[in-house]
Amino acid sequence: VDGIPYPFGPSQLIDLSFLTTRPTLIIASLLFLGCIFGFIFQKYERTTGFLMIAMLAIGEHIGLAQWEGSGGANRALILPAMGTLAYLLQKIWSERKGLDKESATAQGIHAACGIIGAGYTLSAISKLRFSGLEWLSSTTLATHITIHSYNGEPWLRAIRLMVADNALLCSFFALG
């Protein structure tokens, strides 16, 4: 990630390219890791949870701003953010209704599972509706891997392209 080549929304109003510098990414990664531990161990759960959602939203925005029209963006951050949001809101609602902490936590987990389950179900329906069983083919997976091989760390690119070039391996992964 190098700057905001295709600004939209907030990045048209404010220059957010400072968020893509190596020092900022290191600090943000450490902060996010701290938030994960705080959230998991329920230390400042609401604060760390909402901070994680904000950081995921910023990360998604930066990812979408890397391509014109957001065509090549990987929207993998939306589902965890929505699951976390559902968990927090349901837990807050349950606590306000008078449920004990354990029951409120269970209700929050159920809400997060519902959002994640709905996300995967809608994704599967969309894939089947628009491409049928063709989306399970090794060619489709190889294309997907090739497109995304240029995201992330450059040293992974060769490994990703090697996997995409292996039809047998892509067939195996497509079934899984």
Side-chain angles (χ1 to χ4, degrees), residues 72-149:
N74 182 358
R75 295 176 177 85
L77 302 179
I78 294 172
L79 196 56
M82 292 299 101
T84 304
L85 182 62
Y87 169 84
L88 288 170
L89 294 178
Q90 181 61 47
K91 185 172 180 185
I92 291 167
W93 176 262
S94 297
E95 287 172 349
R96 288 190 177 165
K97 286 186 355 185
L99 270 68
D100 61 278
K101 185 178 178 181
E102 189 175 303
S103 298
T105 299
Q107 291 296 311
I109 291 170
H110 289 307
C113 288
I115 293 294
I116 292 167
Y120 279 110
T121 301
L122 291 172
S123 174
I125 290 169
S126 173
K127 288 174 183 173
L128 288 171
R129 180 173 176 228
F130 291 105
S131 64
L133 294 177
E134 181 62 28
W135 72 276
L136 288 170
S137 74
S138 63
T139 305
T140 302
L141 183 58
T143 302
H144 181 77
I145 292 170
T146 302
I147 289 169
H148 291 285
S149 68

Side-chain angles (χ1 to χ4, degrees), residues 17-18 44 86 102 176:
S17 41
F18 73 93
Y44 308 106
E102 189 175 303

Side-chain angles (χ1 to χ4, degrees), residues 4-54:
I4 309 281
Y6 298 99
F8 70 98
S11 58
Q12 286 179 320
L13 301 173
I14 305 166
D15 182 13
L16 297 177
S17 41
F18 73 93
L19 294 173
T20 65
T21 63
R22 187 165 300 280
T24 305
L25 291 173
I26 290 170
I27 291 167
S29 296
L30 292 173
L31 180 61
F32 192 77
L33 187 62
C35 286
I36 289 172
F37 282 114
F39 187 77
I40 289 171
F41 294 112
Q42 296 182 341
K43 300 291 182 192
Y44 308 106
E45 182 181 49
R46 290 181 188 172
T47 303
T48 57
F50 285 117
L51 189 54
M52 281 188 334
I53 293 167

